[in-house]
Amino acid sequence: MSSTVSGMAASIRAATESETFDLAGNSTSTITTTIKAAFATPITLSSMIRITFITGAGKLGRQKYDESAAKVLTSALRELGYEDDRGASCVNECAGSFKLQHDTGKNLKTVVVFPFITGEDTIQDGVDLDGSSAPSLLDPGTPPEMIAMSSMNTFERMVGNKCASWNQKKECLNVIALLKTLVEELDQKLAVGTVLTDSEQNFYDSISIESLNQKATFVKEAMKKHVDEGAITKSEKDKLISQVKDKL
């Protein structure tokens, strides 16, 4: 068993692109040992990757996984200084974070880890310096891409710096709604067995409805604060009144 553990840990540390590891048949002690061996020190990488662990499945595959697999895995990560961030995505700013996901299309439960890394980022504007394309469903550097891919902490700072007015926050909320629609459309594709394109899969793996809902809630609360404090312009007030009337 020790060779299996060291083998998986070595494979994780040797990964140069996003990889998936199936924990079927692994005991909780094996999982803990593997995680600590793999993530005890930063991984040498030029840019962020996703390390995805399959920790559970639907009825047909449920018996293959220890029911505590996700719990012991995330516990081991926390001991190593990793933090649970439901809005984490595959960017260097999210190093040292993880999130739990449920792939409804494949009916699999996973833990996605964004490891601590060492090395300079070689990705610029969605293109590797070696010339190969880094697939992206959203244009790099645009507001939708930044809103979709930012962690919750980064998003909160971004809203504070870039969306000072009620109007700007409203536009941010509109973008989040469009992103949620996009995720739901991809969910529907997966539900009927449609294979996603590389750019669609990259986007789908990096975002969740839950993280978008969390961001939307934050923006709505910030907008409410504007109203409560009277910090809105006449045009913003007129727009708000119009929205309220439309809902009546």
Side-chain angles (χ1 to χ4, degrees):
M1 182 61 71
S2 61
S3 61
T4 302
V5 172
S6 60
M8 183 182 291
S11 295
I12 293 170
R13 295 197 62 80
T16 57
E17 58 186 24
S18 296
E19 299 277 2
T20 298
F21 296 88
D22 195 339
L23 296 181
N26 284 269
S27 66
T28 54
S29 61
T30 298
I31 293 171
T32 299
T33 303
T34 299
I35 296 303
K36 289 185 176 181
F39 299 108
T41 57
I43 299 175
T44 303
L45 288 168
S46 57
S47 59
M48 183 54 63
I49 62 172
R50 291 182 301 276
I51 301 295
T52 302
F53 295 96
I54 301 174
T55 59
K59 279 187 177 180
L60 296 178
R62 187 177 301 163
Q63 70 279 3
K64 298 178 183 179
Y65 300 88
D66 191 294
E67 62 181 12
S68 299
K71 182 178 180 180
V72 298
L73 191 160
T74 55
S75 177
L77 287 172
R78 287 190 178 94
E79 288 183 26
L80 296 172
Y82 282 72
E83 296 182 353
D84 185 354
D85 186 346
R86 289 175 292 180
S89 58
C90 200
V91 294
N92 285 10
E93 289 77 11
C94 291
S97 62
F98 66 87
K99 61 182 178 181
L100 283 71
Q101 290 189 324
H102 184 190
D103 187 329
T104 54
K106 299 177 182 177
N107 201 15
L108 296 174
K109 293 182 178 180
T110 62
V111 176
V112 182
V113 182
F114 302 100
F116 286 114
I117 62 175
T118 58
E120 296 181 0
D121 188 9
T122 61
I123 302 292
Q124 293 183 356
D125 296 329
V127 177
D128 288 341
L129 293 184
D130 62 7
S132 60
S133 175
S136 177
L137 196 62
L138 304 172
D139 292 333
T142 61
E145 193 265 349
M146 291 188 289
I147 290 170
M149 300 304 170
S150 60
S151 68
M152 193 61 202
N153 290 337
T154 300
F155 176 76
E156 290 177 2
R157 291 196 298 270
M158 186 167 63
V159 170
N161 294 330
K162 304 292 185 179
C163 303
S165 70
W166 183 93
N167 234 2
Q168 290 171 323
K169 291 180 175 66
K170 176 60 179 174
E171 290 302 315
C172 179
L173 201 59
N174 290 339
V175 172
I176 293 174
L178 291 174
L179 291 170
K180 287 173 65 176
T181 299
L182 183 53
V183 174
E184 288 165 355
E185 289 174 352
L186 296 179
D187 271 332
Q188 292 171 5
K189 281 188 176 183
L190 291 171
V192 297
T194 302
V195 177
L196 302 182
T197 64
D198 288 344
S199 58
E200 288 175 334
Q201 188 66 58
N202 187 46
F203 172 79
Y204 189 78
D205 288 342
S206 302
I207 197 171
S208 69
I209 288 291
E210 186 178 23
S211 68
L212 291 174
N213 284 338
Q214 188 179 8
K215 290 174 180 177
T217 297
F218 174 79
V219 176
K220 288 177 182 177
E221 291 175 350
M223 291 172 67
K224 183 178 182 299
K225 186 176 180 181
H226 275 278
V227 176
D228 292 343
E229 296 177 353
I232 57 174
T233 64
K234 183 180 182 302
S235 62
E236 290 173 339
K237 185 177 181 179
D238 291 342
K239 183 183 293 187
L240 179 60
I241 292 173
S242 176
Q243 290 175 356
V244 172
K245 288 182 177 179
D246 289 341
K247 293 179 180 180
L248 295 179

